Amino acid sequence: DGGITQSPKYLFRKEGQNVTLSCEQNLNHDAMYWYRQDPGQGLRLIYYSQIVNDFQKGDIAEGYSVSREKKESFPLTVTSAQKNPTAFYLCASSMGAGNYGYTFGSGTRLTVV
Amino acid sequence: KNQVEQSPQSLIILEGKNCTLQCNYTVSPFSNLRWYKQDTGRGPVSLTIMTFSENTKSNGRYTATLDADTKQSSLHITASQLSDSASYICVVSAKSGSSNTGKLIFGQGTTLQVKP
């Protein structure tokens, strides 16, 4: 079945550590996105990529980095520069422009310990 | 400023009852409006998507309405079930100039709890 897979489901980070969240899709979607979800707030866009080897900052990109070396993969690194990383992170993908077929992964919950 | 506001913030109803969730938006230029259901600890799942010309769309017991003039949408849930307990998110897509890639603006969600 086609879908979008995020791993791990739960992740714990120590202070000063970088961690990488995985996002893989087999939907043949061109565009991929990373969102952050905090309680009582709407999803906020971190980074997005419309094609391989290209990505753009979203509304809250500071302290995060991404890469898009393959169409299927869009990993997100939460760096030590992100001062409040505890949140639920969602990856999504869509068919090209226009956000058709917008599909979300099941999320990764990151906690700082 | 593009915004999506949902009400109520939370809602508790008894199993079998109907309920209506509201969404007001100030997104312009408007492309489409979507309703998602998000179970706790899971990713959102699409319920409906409506364009400017559509004013109602159903998906089983879920019926969404759109009034593009007043920039309001509602999601009506009929004969609620315990499995309807979730967060419901209204999302509006804005047309984005020459890039043609619409930005999604998310509401903060309405948390629905269905009790037996």
Side-chain angles (χ1 to χ4, degrees), chain A residues 9 35 37 40-43 50 59 88 90 97-99 102 104-106, chain B residues 34 36 38 41-44 89 93 99-104 106-108:
Chain A
K9 188 170 179 62
Y35 290 92
Q37 187 174 36
Q41 295 190 40
L43 273 68
Q50 297 181 36
D59 300 320
F88 190 56
L90 285 161
N99 298 310
Y102 214 95
F104 285 91
S106 57
Chain B
R34 308 151 190 250
Y36 284 87
Q38 184 178 20
R42 308 285 296 181
I89 304 173
S93 179
S99 74
N100 200 33
T101 299
K103 180 176 181 179
L104 297 186
F106 290 80
Q108 78 277 28

PDB file of all heavy atoms in Angstrom, chain A residues 9 35 37 40-43 50 59 88 90 97-99 102 104-106, chain B residues 34 36 38 41-44 89 93 99-104 106-108:
ATOM      1  N   LYS A   9       8.575   6.684  16.243  1.00  0.00           N
ATOM      2  CA  LYS A   9       7.320   7.252  16.743  1.00  0.00           C
ATOM      3  C   LYS A   9       7.588   8.133  17.956  1.00  0.00           C
ATOM      4  O   LYS A   9       6.944   9.156  18.150  1.00  0.00           O
ATOM      5  CB  LYS A   9       6.351   6.125  17.113  1.00  0.00           C
ATOM      6  CG  LYS A   9       4.948   6.611  17.461  1.00  0.00           C
ATOM      7  CD  LYS A   9       3.991   5.444  17.579  1.00  0.00           C
ATOM      8  CE  LYS A   9       2.591   5.936  17.961  1.00  0.00           C
ATOM      9  NZ  LYS A   9       2.018   6.828  16.953  1.00  0.00           N
ATOM     10  N   TYR A  35       5.985  19.737   9.541  1.00  0.00           N
ATOM     11  CA  TYR A  35       5.219  20.613  10.412  1.00  0.00           C
ATOM     12  C   TYR A  35       5.554  20.301  11.863  1.00  0.00           C
ATOM     13  O   TYR A  35       5.905  19.186  12.216  1.00  0.00           O
ATOM     14  CB  TYR A  35       3.716  20.399  10.224  1.00  0.00           C
ATOM     15  CG  TYR A  35       3.177  20.876   8.908  1.00  0.00           C
ATOM     16  CD1 TYR A  35       3.089  20.012   7.820  1.00  0.00           C
ATOM     17  CD2 TYR A  35       2.733  22.180   8.750  1.00  0.00           C
ATOM     18  CE1 TYR A  35       2.578  20.435   6.618  1.00  0.00           C
ATOM     19  CE2 TYR A  35       2.221  22.615   7.546  1.00  0.00           C
ATOM     20  CZ  TYR A  35       2.139  21.741   6.487  1.00  0.00           C
ATOM     21  OH  TYR A  35       1.641  22.169   5.293  1.00  0.00           O
ATOM     22  N   GLN A  37       3.640  20.551  15.664  1.00  0.00           N
ATOM     23  CA  GLN A  37       2.346  20.716  16.304  1.00  0.00           C
ATOM     24  C   GLN A  37       2.546  20.828  17.807  1.00  0.00           C
ATOM     25  O   GLN A  37       3.124  19.936  18.428  1.00  0.00           O
ATOM     26  CB  GLN A  37       1.413  19.542  15.979  1.00  0.00           C
ATOM     27  CG  GLN A  37      -0.002  19.736  16.475  1.00  0.00           C
ATOM     28  CD  GLN A  37      -0.928  18.624  16.020  1.00  0.00           C
ATOM     29  OE1 GLN A  37      -0.536  17.465  15.937  1.00  0.00           O
ATOM     30  NE2 GLN A  37      -2.174  18.968  15.694  1.00  0.00           N
ATOM     31  N   GLY A  40      -2.881  23.144  21.506  1.00  0.00           N
ATOM     32  CA  GLY A  40      -3.675  24.365  21.385  1.00  0.00           C
ATOM     33  C   GLY A  40      -3.296  25.263  20.227  1.00  0.00           C
ATOM     34  O   GLY A  40      -3.850  26.362  20.089  1.00  0.00           O
ATOM     35  N   GLN A  41      -2.367  24.817  19.378  1.00  0.00           N
ATOM     36  CA  GLN A  41      -1.949  25.633  18.226  1.00  0.00           C
ATOM     37  C   GLN A  41      -2.164  24.864  16.933  1.00  0.00           C
ATOM     38  O   GLN A  41      -2.131  23.642  16.922  1.00  0.00           O
ATOM     39  CB  GLN A  41      -0.470  26.007  18.342  1.00  0.00           C
ATOM     40  CG  GLN A  41      -0.129  26.906  19.511  1.00  0.00           C
ATOM     41  CD  GLN A  41       1.297  27.417  19.418  1.00  0.00           C
ATOM     42  OE1 GLN A  41       1.768  27.764  18.327  1.00  0.00           O
ATOM     43  NE2 GLN A  41       1.990  27.455  20.528  1.00  0.00           N
ATOM     44  N   GLY A  42      -2.335  25.614  15.866  1.00  0.00           N
ATOM     45  CA  GLY A  42      -2.397  24.978  14.559  1.00  0.00           C
ATOM     46  C   GLY A  42      -1.019  24.503  14.120  1.00  0.00           C
ATOM     47  O   GLY A  42       0.001  24.941  14.657  1.00  0.00           O
ATOM     48  N   LEU A  43      -0.984  23.616  13.150  1.00  0.00           N
ATOM     49  CA  LEU A  43       0.302  23.141  12.619  1.00  0.00           C
ATOM     50  C   LEU A  43       1.076  24.298  12.026  1.00  0.00           C
ATOM     51  O   LEU A  43       0.519  25.165  11.355  1.00  0.00           O
ATOM     52  CB  LEU A  43       0.066  22.091  11.529  1.00  0.00           C
ATOM     53  CG  LEU A  43      -0.083  20.639  11.979  1.00  0.00           C
ATOM     54  CD1 LEU A  43      -1.368  20.439  12.763  1.00  0.00           C
ATOM     55  CD2 LEU A  43      -0.032  19.706  10.791  1.00  0.00           C
ATOM     56  N   GLN A  50       9.709  21.050  -2.991  1.00  0.00           N
ATOM     57  CA  GLN A  50       8.838  20.770  -4.137  1.00  0.00           C
ATOM     58  C   GLN A  50       9.485  19.809  -5.123  1.00  0.00           C
ATOM     59  O   GLN A  50       8.793  19.143  -5.894  1.00  0.00           O
ATOM     60  CB  GLN A  50       8.466  22.073  -4.832  1.00  0.00           C
ATOM     61  CG  GLN A  50       7.662  23.014  -3.952  1.00  0.00           C
ATOM     62  CD  GLN A  50       7.285  24.287  -4.669  1.00  0.00           C
ATOM     63  OE1 GLN A  50       6.996  24.287  -5.853  1.00  0.00           O
ATOM     64  NE2 GLN A  50       7.269  25.386  -3.946  1.00  0.00           N
ATOM     65  N   ASP A  59       7.644  28.770   8.093  1.00  0.00           N
ATOM     66  CA  ASP A  59       7.452  29.872   9.035  1.00  0.00           C
ATOM     67  C   ASP A  59       8.348  29.805  10.265  1.00  0.00           C
ATOM     68  O   ASP A  59       8.613  30.810  10.911  1.00  0.00           O
ATOM     69  CB  ASP A  59       5.981  29.904   9.488  1.00  0.00           C
ATOM     70  CG  ASP A  59       5.036  30.110   8.322  1.00  0.00           C
ATOM     71  OD1 ASP A  59       5.358  30.913   7.429  1.00  0.00           O
ATOM     72  OD2 ASP A  59       3.984  29.442   8.294  1.00  0.00           O
ATOM     73  N   PHE A  88       5.247  17.578  18.704  1.00  0.00           N
ATOM     74  CA  PHE A  88       4.835  16.491  17.809  1.00  0.00           C
ATOM     75  C   PHE A  88       5.151  16.952  16.385  1.00  0.00           C
ATOM     76  O   PHE A  88       4.720  18.028  15.969  1.00  0.00           O
ATOM     77  CB  PHE A  88       3.336  16.246  17.990  1.00  0.00           C
ATOM     78  CG  PHE A  88       2.817  15.005  17.319  1.00  0.00           C
ATOM     79  CD1 PHE A  88       3.363  13.760  17.585  1.00  0.00           C
ATOM     80  CD2 PHE A  88       1.753  15.076  16.445  1.00  0.00           C
ATOM     81  CE1 PHE A  88       2.878  12.610  16.982  1.00  0.00           C
ATOM     82  CE2 PHE A  88       1.252  13.931  15.837  1.00  0.00           C
ATOM     83  CZ  PHE A  88       1.819  12.705  16.105  1.00  0.00           C
ATOM     84  N   LEU A  90       5.106  16.373  12.291  1.00  0.00           N
ATOM     85  CA  LEU A  90       4.363  15.706  11.235  1.00  0.00           C
ATOM     86  C   LEU A  90       5.012  15.976   9.882  1.00  0.00           C
ATOM     87  O   LEU A  90       5.347  17.106   9.555  1.00  0.00           O
ATOM     88  CB  LEU A  90       2.916  16.196  11.210  1.00  0.00           C
ATOM     89  CG  LEU A  90       2.018  15.654  12.312  1.00  0.00           C
ATOM     90  CD1 LEU A  90       0.790  16.516  12.479  1.00  0.00           C
ATOM     91  CD2 LEU A  90       1.618  14.216  12.015  1.00  0.00           C
ATOM     92  N   ALA A  97       2.337  20.892  -7.533  1.00  0.00           N
ATOM     93  CA  ALA A  97       1.738  22.155  -7.098  1.00  0.00           C
ATOM     94  C   ALA A  97       0.258  21.947  -6.818  1.00  0.00           C
ATOM     95  O   ALA A  97      -0.362  21.029  -7.348  1.00  0.00           O
ATOM     96  CB  ALA A  97       1.918  23.200  -8.197  1.00  0.00           C
ATOM     97  N   GLY A  98      -0.308  22.782  -5.997  1.00  0.00           N
ATOM     98  CA  GLY A  98      -1.735  22.722  -5.725  1.00  0.00           C
ATOM     99  C   GLY A  98      -2.132  21.830  -4.578  1.00  0.00           C
ATOM    100  O   GLY A  98      -3.300  21.745  -4.225  1.00  0.00           O
ATOM    101  N   ASN A  99      -1.160  21.177  -3.958  1.00  0.00           N
ATOM    102  CA  ASN A  99      -1.454  20.394  -2.752  1.00  0.00           C
ATOM    103  C   ASN A  99      -2.452  19.276  -2.974  1.00  0.00           C
ATOM    104  O   ASN A  99      -3.173  18.877  -2.060  1.00  0.00           O
ATOM    105  CB  ASN A  99      -1.983  21.306  -1.622  1.00  0.00           C
ATOM    106  CG  ASN A  99      -0.962  22.327  -1.215  1.00  0.00           C
ATOM    107  OD1 ASN A  99       0.184  22.012  -0.946  1.00  0.00           O
ATOM    108  ND2 ASN A  99      -1.352  23.585  -1.185  1.00  0.00           N
ATOM    109  N   TYR A 102      -2.841  15.617  -0.593  1.00  0.00           N
ATOM    110  CA  TYR A 102      -2.059  15.928   0.610  1.00  0.00           C
ATOM    111  C   TYR A 102      -2.250  14.821   1.634  1.00  0.00           C
ATOM    112  O   TYR A 102      -3.356  14.539   2.049  1.00  0.00           O
ATOM    113  CB  TYR A 102      -2.539  17.260   1.181  1.00  0.00           C
ATOM    114  CG  TYR A 102      -1.470  18.092   1.812  1.00  0.00           C
ATOM    115  CD1 TYR A 102      -0.826  19.089   1.088  1.00  0.00           C
ATOM    116  CD2 TYR A 102      -1.118  17.919   3.142  1.00  0.00           C
ATOM    117  CE1 TYR A 102       0.148  19.881   1.668  1.00  0.00           C
ATOM    118  CE2 TYR A 102      -0.147  18.693   3.732  1.00  0.00           C
ATOM    119  CZ  TYR A 102       0.479  19.685   2.986  1.00  0.00           C
ATOM    120  OH  TYR A 102       1.449  20.465   3.570  1.00  0.00           O
ATOM    121  N   PHE A 104      -0.614  12.953   5.298  1.00  0.00           N
ATOM    122  CA  PHE A 104       0.248  13.098   6.462  1.00  0.00           C
ATOM    123  C   PHE A 104       0.796  11.753   6.912  1.00  0.00           C
ATOM    124  O   PHE A 104       0.141  10.718   6.751  1.00  0.00           O
ATOM    125  CB  PHE A 104      -0.522  13.711   7.634  1.00  0.00           C
ATOM    126  CG  PHE A 104      -0.780  15.178   7.503  1.00  0.00           C
ATOM    127  CD1 PHE A 104      -1.940  15.638   6.911  1.00  0.00           C
ATOM    128  CD2 PHE A 104       0.139  16.100   7.975  1.00  0.00           C
ATOM    129  CE1 PHE A 104      -2.193  16.996   6.788  1.00  0.00           C
ATOM    130  CE2 PHE A 104      -0.091  17.461   7.864  1.00  0.00           C
ATOM    131  CZ  PHE A 104      -1.263  17.913   7.268  1.00  0.00           C
ATOM    132  N   GLY A 105       1.977  11.786   7.518  1.00  0.00           N
ATOM    133  CA  GLY A 105       2.504  10.635   8.221  1.00  0.00           C
ATOM    134  C   GLY A 105       1.869  10.541   9.591  1.00  0.00           C
ATOM    135  O   GLY A 105       1.028  11.370   9.970  1.00  0.00           O
ATOM    136  N   SER A 106       2.286   9.543  10.363  1.00  0.00           N
ATOM    137  CA  SER A 106       1.667   9.315  11.672  1.00  0.00           C
ATOM    138  C   SER A 106       2.356  10.081  12.795  1.00  0.00           C
ATOM    139  O   SER A 106       1.900  10.041  13.932  1.00  0.00           O
ATOM    140  CB  SER A 106       1.667   7.821  11.984  1.00  0.00           C
ATOM    141  OG  SER A 106       2.985   7.324  11.928  1.00  0.00           O
TER     142      SER A 106
ATOM    143  N   ARG B  34     -10.337  22.374   3.650  1.00  0.00           N
ATOM    144  CA  ARG B  34     -10.311  20.947   3.993  1.00  0.00           C
ATOM    145  C   ARG B  34     -10.629  20.767   5.467  1.00  0.00           C
ATOM    146  O   ARG B  34     -10.286  21.619   6.304  1.00  0.00           O
ATOM    147  CB  ARG B  34      -8.896  20.395   3.755  1.00  0.00           C
ATOM    148  CG  ARG B  34      -8.336  20.678   2.392  1.00  0.00           C
ATOM    149  CD  ARG B  34      -6.804  20.776   2.411  1.00  0.00           C
ATOM    150  NE  ARG B  34      -6.297  21.278   1.138  1.00  0.00           N
ATOM    151  CZ  ARG B  34      -5.617  20.541   0.275  1.00  0.00           C
ATOM    152  NH1 ARG B  34      -5.328  19.277   0.546  1.00  0.00           N
ATOM    153  NH2 ARG B  34      -5.204  21.050  -0.865  1.00  0.00           N
ATOM    154  N   TYR B  36      -9.896  17.885   8.452  1.00  0.00           N
ATOM    155  CA  TYR B  36      -9.133  16.692   8.800  1.00  0.00           C
ATOM    156  C   TYR B  36      -9.577  16.197  10.175  1.00  0.00           C
ATOM    157  O   TYR B  36      -9.954  16.993  11.044  1.00  0.00           O
ATOM    158  CB  TYR B  36      -7.629  17.006   8.880  1.00  0.00           C
ATOM    159  CG  TYR B  36      -6.940  17.148   7.546  1.00  0.00           C
ATOM    160  CD1 TYR B  36      -6.904  18.372   6.888  1.00  0.00           C
ATOM    161  CD2 TYR B  36      -6.299  16.059   6.946  1.00  0.00           C
ATOM    162  CE1 TYR B  36      -6.251  18.505   5.667  1.00  0.00           C
ATOM    163  CE2 TYR B  36      -5.648  16.191   5.728  1.00  0.00           C
ATOM    164  CZ  TYR B  36      -5.629  17.420   5.102  1.00  0.00           C
ATOM    165  OH  TYR B  36      -4.979  17.550   3.891  1.00  0.00           O
ATOM    166  N   GLN B  38      -7.969  14.129  13.392  1.00  0.00           N
ATOM    167  CA  GLN B  38      -6.699  13.692  13.940  1.00  0.00           C
ATOM    168  C   GLN B  38      -6.929  12.970  15.263  1.00  0.00           C
ATOM    169  O   GLN B  38      -7.313  13.583  16.265  1.00  0.00           O
ATOM    170  CB  GLN B  38      -5.740  14.869  14.151  1.00  0.00           C
ATOM    171  CG  GLN B  38      -4.364  14.427  14.623  1.00  0.00           C
ATOM    172  CD  GLN B  38      -3.381  15.573  14.792  1.00  0.00           C
ATOM    173  OE1 GLN B  38      -3.772  16.734  14.921  1.00  0.00           O
ATOM    174  NE2 GLN B  38      -2.088  15.263  14.767  1.00  0.00           N
ATOM    175  N   GLY B  41      -2.134  11.377  18.991  1.00  0.00           N
ATOM    176  CA  GLY B  41      -0.856  10.751  18.676  1.00  0.00           C
ATOM    177  C   GLY B  41      -0.729  10.230  17.265  1.00  0.00           C
ATOM    178  O   GLY B  41       0.202   9.479  16.963  1.00  0.00           O
ATOM    179  N   ARG B  42      -1.626  10.628  16.373  1.00  0.00           N
ATOM    180  CA  ARG B  42      -1.602  10.180  14.989  1.00  0.00           C
ATOM    181  C   ARG B  42      -1.571  11.388  14.047  1.00  0.00           C
ATOM    182  O   ARG B  42      -1.805  12.525  14.452  1.00  0.00           O
ATOM    183  CB  ARG B  42      -2.845   9.340  14.673  1.00  0.00           C
ATOM    184  CG  ARG B  42      -3.088   8.203  15.630  1.00  0.00           C
ATOM    185  CD  ARG B  42      -2.136   7.070  15.377  1.00  0.00           C
ATOM    186  NE  ARG B  42      -2.350   6.480  14.053  1.00  0.00           N
ATOM    187  CZ  ARG B  42      -1.653   5.452  13.577  1.00  0.00           C
ATOM    188  NH1 ARG B  42      -0.702   4.909  14.297  1.00  0.00           N
ATOM    189  NH2 ARG B  42      -1.886   4.978  12.360  1.00  0.00           N
ATOM    190  N   GLY B  43      -1.324  11.133  12.776  1.00  0.00           N
ATOM    191  CA  GLY B  43      -1.363  12.203  11.799  1.00  0.00           C
ATOM    192  C   GLY B  43      -2.792  12.495  11.358  1.00  0.00           C
ATOM    193  O   GLY B  43      -3.663  11.637  11.456  1.00  0.00           O
ATOM    194  N   PRO B  44      -3.059  13.709  10.873  1.00  0.00           N
ATOM    195  CA  PRO B  44      -4.407  14.053  10.389  1.00  0.00           C
ATOM    196  C   PRO B  44      -4.785  13.235   9.160  1.00  0.00           C
ATOM    197  O   PRO B  44      -3.941  12.937   8.318  1.00  0.00           O
ATOM    198  CB  PRO B  44      -4.278  15.538  10.033  1.00  0.00           C
ATOM    199  CG  PRO B  44      -3.077  16.023  10.773  1.00  0.00           C
ATOM    200  CD  PRO B  44      -2.147  14.862  10.824  1.00  0.00           C
ATOM    201  N   ILE B  89      -9.615  19.412  12.437  1.00  0.00           N
ATOM    202  CA  ILE B  89      -8.825  20.562  12.015  1.00  0.00           C
ATOM    203  C   ILE B  89      -9.341  21.096  10.691  1.00  0.00           C
ATOM    204  O   ILE B  89      -9.536  20.340   9.732  1.00  0.00           O
ATOM    205  CB  ILE B  89      -7.336  20.181  11.865  1.00  0.00           C
ATOM    206  CG1 ILE B  89      -6.812  19.589  13.177  1.00  0.00           C
ATOM    207  CG2 ILE B  89      -6.506  21.402  11.468  1.00  0.00           C
ATOM    208  CD1 ILE B  89      -5.411  19.022  13.072  1.00  0.00           C
ATOM    209  N   SER B  93      -6.472  26.458   2.021  1.00  0.00           N
ATOM    210  CA  SER B  93      -5.363  26.588   1.093  1.00  0.00           C
ATOM    211  C   SER B  93      -5.477  27.909   0.351  1.00  0.00           C
ATOM    212  O   SER B  93      -6.542  28.245  -0.187  1.00  0.00           O
ATOM    213  CB  SER B  93      -5.374  25.429   0.097  1.00  0.00           C
ATOM    214  OG  SER B  93      -4.313  25.552  -0.824  1.00  0.00           O
ATOM    215  N   SER B  99       3.893  30.975  -8.295  1.00  0.00           N
ATOM    216  CA  SER B  99       4.426  29.662  -7.949  1.00  0.00           C
ATOM    217  C   SER B  99       3.360  28.583  -8.078  1.00  0.00           C
ATOM    218  O   SER B  99       3.662  27.417  -8.241  1.00  0.00           O
ATOM    219  CB  SER B  99       4.986  29.662  -6.539  1.00  0.00           C
ATOM    220  OG  SER B  99       3.932  29.671  -5.604  1.00  0.00           O
ATOM    221  N   ASN B 100       2.100  28.968  -7.955  1.00  0.00           N
ATOM    222  CA  ASN B 100       0.965  28.037  -8.028  1.00  0.00           C
ATOM    223  C   ASN B 100       1.019  26.964  -6.962  1.00  0.00           C
ATOM    224  O   ASN B 100       0.398  25.925  -7.086  1.00  0.00           O
ATOM    225  CB  ASN B 100       0.899  27.386  -9.426  1.00  0.00           C
ATOM    226  CG  ASN B 100      -0.467  26.814  -9.707  1.00  0.00           C
ATOM    227  OD1 ASN B 100      -1.463  27.347  -9.244  1.00  0.00           O
ATOM    228  ND2 ASN B 100      -0.513  25.732 -10.436  1.00  0.00           N
ATOM    229  N   THR B 101       1.789  27.192  -5.930  1.00  0.00           N
ATOM    230  CA  THR B 101       1.807  26.247  -4.828  1.00  0.00           C
ATOM    231  C   THR B 101       1.114  26.894  -3.650  1.00  0.00           C
ATOM    232  O   THR B 101       1.649  27.839  -3.065  1.00  0.00           O
ATOM    233  CB  THR B 101       3.247  25.878  -4.427  1.00  0.00           C
ATOM    234  OG1 THR B 101       3.873  25.263  -5.541  1.00  0.00           O
ATOM    235  CG2 THR B 101       3.230  24.894  -3.267  1.00  0.00           C
ATOM    236  N   GLY B 102      -0.095  26.400  -3.343  1.00  0.00           N
ATOM    237  CA  GLY B 102      -0.865  27.016  -2.295  1.00  0.00           C
ATOM    238  C   GLY B 102      -0.325  26.733  -0.917  1.00  0.00           C
ATOM    239  O   GLY B 102       0.036  25.605  -0.605  1.00  0.00           O
ATOM    240  N   LYS B 103      -0.302  27.728  -0.093  1.00  0.00           N
ATOM    241  CA  LYS B 103       0.107  27.542   1.288  1.00  0.00           C
ATOM    242  C   LYS B 103      -1.105  27.100   2.078  1.00  0.00           C
ATOM    243  O   LYS B 103      -2.205  27.592   1.892  1.00  0.00           O
ATOM    244  CB  LYS B 103       0.671  28.850   1.850  1.00  0.00           C
ATOM    245  CG  LYS B 103       1.128  28.735   3.290  1.00  0.00           C
ATOM    246  CD  LYS B 103       1.769  30.018   3.769  1.00  0.00           C
ATOM    247  CE  LYS B 103       2.233  29.865   5.201  1.00  0.00           C
ATOM    248  NZ  LYS B 103       2.900  31.088   5.712  1.00  0.00           N
ATOM    249  N   LEU B 104      -0.915  26.152   2.994  1.00  0.00           N
ATOM    250  CA  LEU B 104      -1.987  25.687   3.859  1.00  0.00           C
ATOM    251  C   LEU B 104      -1.951  26.464   5.162  1.00  0.00           C
ATOM    252  O   LEU B 104      -0.892  26.605   5.777  1.00  0.00           O
ATOM    253  CB  LEU B 104      -1.838  24.193   4.145  1.00  0.00           C
ATOM    254  CG  LEU B 104      -1.946  23.238   2.963  1.00  0.00           C
ATOM    255  CD1 LEU B 104      -1.933  21.806   3.441  1.00  0.00           C
ATOM    256  CD2 LEU B 104      -3.189  23.508   2.136  1.00  0.00           C
ATOM    257  N   PHE B 106      -3.599  26.426   8.908  1.00  0.00           N
ATOM    258  CA  PHE B 106      -4.281  25.488   9.776  1.00  0.00           C
ATOM    259  C   PHE B 106      -5.000  26.201  10.916  1.00  0.00           C
ATOM    260  O   PHE B 106      -4.446  27.124  11.534  1.00  0.00           O
ATOM    261  CB  PHE B 106      -3.265  24.509  10.390  1.00  0.00           C
ATOM    262  CG  PHE B 106      -2.674  23.537   9.407  1.00  0.00           C
ATOM    263  CD1 PHE B 106      -1.646  23.926   8.564  1.00  0.00           C
ATOM    264  CD2 PHE B 106      -3.146  22.243   9.321  1.00  0.00           C
ATOM    265  CE1 PHE B 106      -1.099  23.039   7.643  1.00  0.00           C
ATOM    266  CE2 PHE B 106      -2.600  21.347   8.412  1.00  0.00           C
ATOM    267  CZ  PHE B 106      -1.583  21.754   7.571  1.00  0.00           C
ATOM    268  N   GLY B 107      -6.217  25.765  11.214  1.00  0.00           N
ATOM    269  CA  GLY B 107      -6.864  26.165  12.441  1.00  0.00           C
ATOM    270  C   GLY B 107      -6.254  25.413  13.609  1.00  0.00           C
ATOM    271  O   GLY B 107      -5.492  24.447  13.418  1.00  0.00           O
ATOM    272  N   GLN B 108      -6.605  25.830  14.812  1.00  0.00           N
ATOM    273  CA  GLN B 108      -6.012  25.217  15.997  1.00  0.00           C
ATOM    274  C   GLN B 108      -6.722  23.925  16.386  1.00  0.00           C
ATOM    275  O   GLN B 108      -6.255  23.198  17.249  1.00  0.00           O
ATOM    276  CB  GLN B 108      -6.009  26.212  17.177  1.00  0.00           C
ATOM    277  CG  GLN B 108      -7.359  26.373  17.869  1.00  0.00           C
ATOM    278  CD  GLN B 108      -8.270  27.353  17.178  1.00  0.00           C
ATOM    279  OE1 GLN B 108      -8.209  27.570  15.971  1.00  0.00           O
ATOM    280  NE2 GLN B 108      -9.143  27.968  17.971  1.00  0.00           N
TER     281      GLN B 108
END
